[in-house]
Amino acid sequence: IPVLRHSPRGCVPPYCQTACLGHGPEYYRQLPSWIEEVPLPAPLECDGIKLWPVTYSVPSQFLVECIPAKSADFAFVKPGDSATYIFGDDAPEYFRNYREALFATTMTKGGADCARHTEILASGTVPYFQGLPEVPEHTMAHHHRELLERAIG
């Protein structure tokens, strides 16, 4: 897979993404044809009240513009292993750790809906979701479950 040089939008070294794996940012500006867009989930209704699923986002400065070159198979951070929670308030380093890995472990801890899954995807990394088949149907409503299942299958 070719590695392309990339001049990122404003960033502060060493947190800059300076290479793209395979394709440059122009390729990712539109939804790839092989991905079906995830339909918006219908709300649950309880006593006439509509309950919409939650979603998470990340600041745009942490969203990669293309798939970054990788230097590790798995990210260092492992949910549930407090020895890997070394980044504290250093968000740029936390996201850089995810960017450098092909995969990042994620799982249900306090609940299946959490920012971690979105942080991993925003970093250009594939979530390796432990226990995905057990996640209830109406959670993670804005994630493409079929693609997540293919990544761990």
Side-chain angles (χ1 to χ4, degrees), residues 106-150:
T106 192
M107 63 192 333
T108 297
K109 285 177 39 181
D113 284 314
C114 71
R116 182 177 52 256
H117 318 314
T118 303
E119 293 165 351
I120 292 168
L121 289 165
S123 300
T125 298
V126 178
Y128 184 84
F129 201 112
Q130 296 175 338
L132 182 61
E134 290 82 41
V135 172
E137 178 185 349
H138 295 289
T139 56
M140 295 178 47
H142 297 282
H143 288 280
H144 200 305
R145 296 279 280 268
E146 182 183 331
L147 283 178
L148 291 173
E149 288 168 358
R150 286 174 42 194

Side-chain angles (χ1 to χ4, degrees), residues 92-107:
E93 186 64 18
Y94 172 79
F95 279 91
R96 187 179 69 80
N97 174 259
Y98 278 144
R99 267 198 323 271
E100 291 180 348
L102 289 167
F103 297 95
T105 303
T106 192
M107 63 192 333

